[in-house]
Amino acid sequence: MALQRLSFRLRQTVTHVRSLHTSGCGQQQAAEAVESEPEPLSVFRTRENDPACHSEQHMGQYYTLPSTHIRTLFPHGLPGRYQQQLKTFNEACMMVRKPSLEVISYLKKTDFSKPSLRYLFYGLNGTGKTMSLCHTVHYCYTQGWLVLHVPDAHIWMKNCKELMPSSYNDTRFDQPLQASEWLRNFRITNEPFLSKIKTKQRYVWTKRESTEEGSLLGQLVDQGISRVKSSSDVVGAVLKELRLQSGQPESDFRMAVAVDGVNGLWGRSTIKKKDKSPVESDELTLVYNLKKLLTKDWTGGAIITTLSQTGSLYTSKFDYLPQELLGEKGFDGMDPFLPVSVPNYSEKEFESCYLYWMDRQWLQHPQSRTEEGKKEIIFLCNRNPSMMDRICASL
Amino acid sequence: MAASISGLLKPWTPRVFLVRWSRYNPYYLEPEVRKEAYIKPEAELSAEEKEQRELKALRPIKAATNDVTSSVFSDPVISKFVGMMMLEGNKILANEIISKTLENIKRKQVDKYHKAPEGKKEEIECNPYAIFHQALENCKPVVGLASIQKGGKFYQVPIPLSDDRRRHLAMKWIITECRESKHRRTLMYEKLSQELLAASVREGNVIKKKLEMHKMAEANRAYAHYRWA
């Protein structure tokens, strides 16, 4: 009887074909309903490690990401301090917060025959936009989607050590180092898809090298990694293939495009040409091809992005709203999109973070464990996640 | 001496207030920064404390320096260390280095803690402040050497050291050691954290230096009476 009720609930929530994971979660729920409700591990931890099953009752609690997922899904993409924390605590725990829950609930209800929607996380510096993006990307990965994660669009716009004129188009410039690194990480994340998707077009790289029509995507990616000179064009080819093929009736994969620091794509660049004039964003192959992917003319997936002021160039420190950081061109390019605000920690989330650090032996100063110390920490960091991390690091 | 002079002076408030200089008239009182001193209700005060409070109402008080705070996390020993590490007045940089050092120590120890088996967990000290204080204690020399002239020659004579002098010597040795003998590319906070962790278990170059000082003092025991030359 409980199973019948649950299958009815499942029919309402699941809209896409691959329902293995959600049905697994549903069976778990069924099992739990039949037995007694298992107690949560503690106030700040939850046993529910599947992002698809996170709901409002898990808000503010930490769930553990399995280390296999971290190695495949996040070779790049996690913030630097968080990666240090992973090594120190020997486990990867992320907090379930409202913005990512909201986007995950929208993703569950998407209609994949319509053009893909754009979600934008925005907020003050250090409120957890990148972490919300990583949570959503983890959900997409557990649902079996293809994940195209660009960890920081700003690194394609600054500090370029090698800038080559593009072989495909004379007016554009290549960045072989960044492109080959991205391809390597893309291969680590999406191993299973590389042997399934086939190219629909013939690509000629040099007089002797070409990739035939119908060859596997994996071959294309390997070509880009081994021949670093043509890696930017390979990236362009990969993005084009995926855009054309996703949403087609014969392809059975969903694509999640995750871009962190998307305001960099329309911003100014510090890269200079040989005659000291600055390079426009449209003159870089990588950026040009990525912008084509951010338009709304493909179906069968979603685009999840974040704004970032910390790595951005020529923006004021106090800008954080989409209008200010994206600028006119960016806003027109991203419009229409769904903005999701990421605020500072609420009181419950702060408590949860504080208790988690106490549990992991991170708050060592004897005074930091008292009420006075806690009040002082709240006063100093105003519940901003990154400030709290920096202050409590030396306590 | 300051008390006798202040006894002679009549009660007065100056027309010009001294704020930037550290040499005050002995009439001025030290500022009380700790919150606990002001929270105590009237009934709990002893006679001396009541006298102090009345005095505070009449006498001028020195301006508090920038590094004393009413924060519960402030530590006078760490402030002293930061002041000693500071170069060219850049206290912000010195403070950052120290906080990175403490974070580094904590990270290494917590890493060890989480990877240790259940039985060994209690033995690992994770508190960076405890490690810092322990390391400082272990580096403090017991006797020092003074250069005393007798009969035209200078002799290294072992003498007892005051507490402040011992602490100063320990801090100075740690800082010089970390500045000089390290790989060109090692950052200060990394080297400091290594030295402090080693010193807290009585290993490392600073402990060696302290032991050498003790050995010299032991070797020159014969000249100890030159102190009263």
Side-chain angles (χ1 to χ4, degrees), chain A residues 81 362 376 392-395, chain B residues 71 103 106-107 111 114 129:
Chain A
R81 281 198 76 94
W362 190 236
E376 189 159 331
C392 296
S394 53
L395 286 182
Chain B
S71 156
E103 187 195 333
K106 189 163 59 152
R107 228 176 250 286
D111 197 33
H114 285 304
Y129 294 86

Side-chain angles (χ1 to χ4, degrees), chain A residues 292-354:
Chain A
K292 279 199 267 184
L293 198 59
L294 291 179
T295 53
K296 44 187 192 295
D297 50 357
W298 56 279
T299 59
I303 306 173
I304 316 151
T305 58
T306 333
L307 289 180
S308 165
Q309 195 283 324
T310 27
S312 66
L313 303 156
Y314 304 105
T315 47
S316 152
K317 204 165 59 155
F318 305 106
D319 288 340
Y320 72 99
L321 294 169
Q323 185 93 28
E324 292 161 357
L325 281 177
L326 285 171
E328 243 191 72
K329 279 192 276 181
F331 203 83
D332 293 330
M334 282 292 282
D335 204 19
F337 61 88
L338 254 137
V340 183
S341 149
V342 182
N344 284 335
Y345 280 154
S346 65
E347 281 166 16
K348 184 172 166 216
E349 288 170 341
F350 179 86
E351 276 298 322
S352 180
C353 187
Y354 183 81

Side-chain angles (χ1 to χ4, degrees), chain B residues 46-64:
Chain B
S46 61
E48 303 145 350
E49 282 170 339
K50 279 200 185 129
E51 233 185 87
Q52 272 285 6
R53 277 214 182 171
E54 273 159 45
L55 205 57
K56 281 206 163 181
L58 302 168
R59 292 257 196 105
I61 306 181
K62 294 186 194 175

